[in-house]
Amino acid sequence: MGTYDYKNVKVEIRDGIAWVILNRPEKRNAMSPKLHFEMDDALERLEFDDEAKVIVITGAGGNFSAGQDLKEFFRELDTNPSARRKAAQAANRWRWERLYNYDKPTIAMIHGYCVGGAFMQLLATDFAVAAEDATFSLSEVNWGILPGALVAKVVADAVLPRHALYYACLGEPFDGKEAARIGMVNFAVPLAKLEQATTELAHKLMKKSPNTLRATKQAVRHVRNMDFGQAYDYLMEKSKAIKLGDREDSYNTGLRQFLDEKSYKPTYEPFRLRGDKAGASAEKK
Ligand code: COA
């Protein structure tokens, strides 16, 4: 494992989970240009760090993030267009290009405040788990600005139009239970169980074949913008591609464990990977 030595971001890798923590608790993890540069670097490196199997994005000090730093990202760069552009590029790169296309599964873990620009990373991750008492707010309308970068787009993509319009136009806060009800997060749990629930989800993901999981998430994301003919063709070719690069030989291993060994039911559980103890002993049979 390399060292991830940053000031505004903390990275802790434990049992295959990389906890990537926005670390400006005294500013409610508002995202300054420096934080964006560090997050961009950390995510680039973690994608190739074999110890990191699942990425969890969260915030230090009991909050997810209060959005873009209104002082350091906005006001101080209003008169410095090239510095603003550089910061905006890094901000969009990690919050969108990297996370949306990430090779590994990603989870947002939301507690405390999740405001404005923080919806970008919330919705670019593959999964999100919230504390029931978290506070979400698309506050931009209250500042006289738009949910910019890609916030309006990711919100419109994630939830039904009425919910998107309601919360973007009113800027009203909502809690984790409401976020789950409208589809902004997968589920909400009491704060005391948040880390445990996130860890359980990460462990479930780690039991899948990484290759199949990667292709599945890419497929689900990409077919949204295709018509039926394009989606059919793309999925057929993608299916061939995952077989080619599949080190677990998922298809044949799954068939063998289900049909021959009768040791697994795909409806309820993943097949055993070669690295698993159970999988390794099955391989020897
Ligand atoms: N940008 C810059 N600084 C921010 C910030 C932001 N988005 N959000 C919080 N801070 C700073 C505050 O200025 C304050 O700094 P100070 O200690 O130097 O005065 C510190 O973080 C703590 O904020 P405070 O408002 O005292 O904390 P709180 O817990 O009472 O309230 C929030 C938290 C998130 C409700 C409140 O800070 C807030 O509304 N922030 C703005 C969020 C927003 O609209 N973001 C959208 C940007 S696109």
Side-chain angles (χ1 to χ4, degrees):
M1 175 178 101
T3 32
Y4 294 87
D5 192 13
Y6 303 110
K7 196 162 172 292
N8 302 279
V9 174
K10 254 193 301 185
V11 177
E12 296 166 4
I13 305 182
R14 296 190 294 273
D15 296 334
I17 306 174
W19 301 85
V20 185
I21 304 162
L22 275 60
N23 192 28
R24 297 182 75 214
E26 71 291 353
K27 299 289 179 190
R28 309 300 180 259
N29 304 317
M31 296 178 285
S32 62
K34 285 194 185 109
L35 181 145
H36 287 305
F37 298 137
E38 292 180 3
M39 278 298 282
D40 191 35
D41 190 64
L43 288 176
E44 182 183 16
R45 292 175 53 205
L46 284 165
E47 198 159 18
F48 301 101
D49 187 329
D50 289 340
E51 285 189 37
K53 315 266 188 238
V54 175
I55 309 295
V56 176
I57 310 282
T58 190
N63 291 293
F64 186 64
S65 169
Q68 289 288 24
D69 189 305
L70 294 157
K71 180 166 172 275
E72 293 188 33
F73 188 90
F74 283 116
R75 194 161 68 186
E76 287 178 1
L77 298 189
D78 277 347
T79 50
N80 189 342
S82 71
R84 164 68 67 76
R85 203 167 123 70
K86 192 170 172 213
Q89 273 184 1
N92 292 335
R93 198 162 44 235
W94 80 262
R95 293 182 307 163
W96 189 248
E97 289 154 42
R98 284 201 198 291
L99 281 181
Y100 194 79
N101 297 302
Y102 218 66
D103 245 20
K104 303 175 179 182
T106 57
I107 305 173
M109 185 178 87
I110 319 300
H111 50 179
Y113 289 106
C114 172
V115 188
F119 279 70
M120 287 266 295
Q121 63 261 33
L122 164 68
L123 295 170
T125 46
D126 304 318
F127 310 95
V129 185
E132 286 173 352
D133 64 355
T135 303
F136 296 76
S137 165
L138 286 162
S139 66
E140 287 89 340
V141 71
N142 299 327
W143 294 106
I145 58 175
L146 285 177
L150 285 168
V151 174
K153 166 75 177 152
V154 295
V155 170
D157 253 20
V159 301
L160 293 170
R162 292 233 183 267
H163 299 311
L165 284 166
Y166 187 88
Y167 287 114
C169 292
L170 293 170
E172 270 182 16
F174 53 99
D175 66 14
K177 285 186 189 166
E178 173 68 352
R181 187 187 73 84
I182 65 176
M184 203 76 95
V185 303
N186 293 95
F187 53 89
V189 295
L191 178 62
K193 301 205 166 136
L194 182 62
E195 196 167 319
Q196 184 196 333
T198 308
T199 303
E200 281 169 14
L201 174 57
H203 282 294
K204 279 187 197 167
L205 291 163
M206 276 189 255
K207 290 205 169 111
K208 311 282 181 204
S209 151
N211 194 48
T212 314
L213 188 58
R214 181 182 313 119
T216 303
K217 71 179 216 175
Q218 286 168 350
V220 170
R221 285 191 186 283
H222 293 322
V223 293
R224 296 191 74 222
N225 300 319
M226 294 179 193
D227 64 29
F228 277 85
Q230 290 166 332
Y232 183 76
D233 194 49
Y234 165 84
L235 290 170
M236 200 157 56
E237 295 308 317
K238 192 84 180 160
S239 303
K240 289 182 201 156
I242 66 170
K243 279 193 186 161
L244 270 182
D246 186 1
R247 281 192 285 167
E248 282 81 28
D249 192 16
S250 313
Y251 177 72
N252 289 313
T253 307
L255 283 186
R256 195 190 67 238
Q257 290 178 3
F258 178 65
L259 293 174
D260 305 331
E261 296 165 12
K262 311 241 179 254
S263 60
Y264 135 79
K265 297 253 187 267
T267 311
Y268 302 111
E269 55 184 323
F271 69 86
R272 294 180 307 283
L273 298 173
R274 239 167 292 216
D276 291 356
K277 274 192 189 136
S281 59
E283 288 299 316
K284 283 188 204 133
K285 284 185 187 168

